[in-house]
Amino acid sequence: MTDFNPNTSHQPKKKGPMKKQILCFATMTLATALFAADTKEEVTAATKKLGEKANYSWKTTVVVPESAQFKPGPTDGKTEKDGFTYIKTSFGDNNVEVVTKGEKTAFINRDGEWQLAGEGGQGAGRGAFMRNVRPPAAQAAEIAAGAKELKQDGDVIAGDLTEDGAKTLMRFRRGGGGGGGGEGPAISNAKGSAKFWIKDGTLTKYEFKVSGKMDFNGNEIDLDRTTTVEIKDVGTTKVEVPEGAKKKLS
């Protein structure tokens, strides 16, 4: 017969609270990650839905510090699916009109004539700059892709941008149409954030803030701007393109 030892317990050991806490934390972390992913996908889907609309208009405003050398004026744009995009904007005292279709961009040069971007002469640099102007559906999708994560905050979806995401919004891209290669001046200490508003599954407004430093011809320039884009007249916009622009883009 086996002797009974009163100091030996044959009762099953109880699991301590630590394992439950670890499991709970892991579950919450996974749920948070999945929610962030779903929120980002919601923005991506909303931009895609906007891009599938037959047409829409938008207004862009940019706020920069009073000390900024260049102060962009408001931009008014109209676009139609698989058709023309017509944009009017200003920089200081200069008014700019641009029409794009596919990979082609036409704009009014200093002589008041429509010219294709990349044709050379006075329009080379100006045309290369205007190739950076894209309809909101394309730009908003790019911004969402460059976000660290996006979270719902009331009726707004917001989050910080990655350094590369902020740089993309600050950088002057030159590619295509003979405008020269490269990614433009070097940018450092790039930071940014973005906000998106969605209604009925479609993007209606977005805002992004970026700041950093740019090396421009050996001079370091501080960059700081807030851009707000409001989308309107979805499905009812009429894009009327000047004949001179149509001929250039045909």
Side-chain angles (χ1 to χ4, degrees):
M1 180 181 293
T2 303
D3 294 335
F4 174 73
N5 186 347
N7 296 321
T8 302
S9 173
H10 295 280
Q11 296 297 322
K13 294 181 179 180
K14 294 182 178 180
K15 294 182 179 179
M18 183 59 71
K19 288 185 178 180
K20 291 184 178 179
Q21 291 177 1
I22 293 174
L23 179 60
C24 182
F25 177 76
T27 302
M28 290 177 61
T29 301
L30 178 60
T32 301
L34 291 174
F35 179 75
D38 289 344
T39 305
K40 199 168 187 178
E41 289 174 3
E42 181 182 352
V43 174
T44 302
T47 63
K48 182 178 180 181
K49 189 173 181 180
L50 177 63
E52 291 173 347
K53 298 296 184 180
N55 51 65
Y56 62 88
S57 303
W58 76 92
K59 186 178 186 67
T60 301
T61 55
V62 182
V63 177
V64 297
E66 286 296 325
S67 58
Q69 183 176 359
F70 298 103
K71 295 181 173 62
T75 295
D76 290 297
K78 298 180 179 181
T79 189
E80 55 190 8
K81 185 179 180 182
D82 301 324
F84 292 100
T85 296
Y86 188 20
I87 299 168
K88 292 183 178 181
T89 188
S90 62
F91 294 89
D93 296 329
N94 298 314
N95 294 320
V96 180
E97 290 185 55
V98 180
V99 179
T100 67
K101 186 176 184 180
E103 297 298 318
K104 290 184 177 181
T105 300
F107 61 96
I108 294 182
N109 60 27
R110 295 188 186 93
D111 296 326
E113 300 174 345
W114 284 98
Q115 177 179 332
L116 276 179
E119 281 186 336
Q122 61 168 294
R126 195 175 188 183
F129 174 81
M130 293 315 299
R131 274 194 297 273
N132 286 264
V133 179
R134 290 150 295 147
Q139 186 182 49
E142 181 180 76
I143 296 170
K148 295 177 182 178
E149 65 176 4
L150 295 171
K151 296 181 180 180
Q152 189 80 38
D153 183 10
D155 61 349
V156 180
I157 295 176
D160 291 331
L161 301 175
T162 64
E163 183 179 4
D164 286 340
K167 283 183 178 180
T168 298
L169 293 170
M170 298 167 69
R171 185 170 285 134
F172 172 65
R173 292 169 299 198
R174 308 178 183 215
E183 295 185 336
I187 295 174
S188 60
N189 197 30
K191 298 177 182 178
S193 61
K195 295 180 180 179
F196 302 89
W197 287 259
I198 297 172
K199 184 178 181 180
D200 298 329
T202 303
L203 184 71
T204 59
K205 178 182 175 181
Y206 62 96
E207 176 186 286
F208 61 92
K209 298 180 181 181
V210 289
S211 63
K213 297 181 181 295
M214 175 184 288
D215 185 349
F216 191 76
N217 294 331
N219 297 316
E220 192 173 71
I221 301 174
D222 289 326
L223 298 177
D224 186 354
R225 69 173 183 263
T226 300
T227 302
T228 303
V229 181
E230 297 182 82
I231 298 149
K232 57 185 179 179
D233 300 332
V234 178
T236 60
T237 293
K238 292 184 179 181
V239 184
E240 299 177 351
V241 178
E243 285 301 321
K246 285 184 178 179
K247 290 180 180 179
K248 286 293 182 179
L249 298 171
S250 61

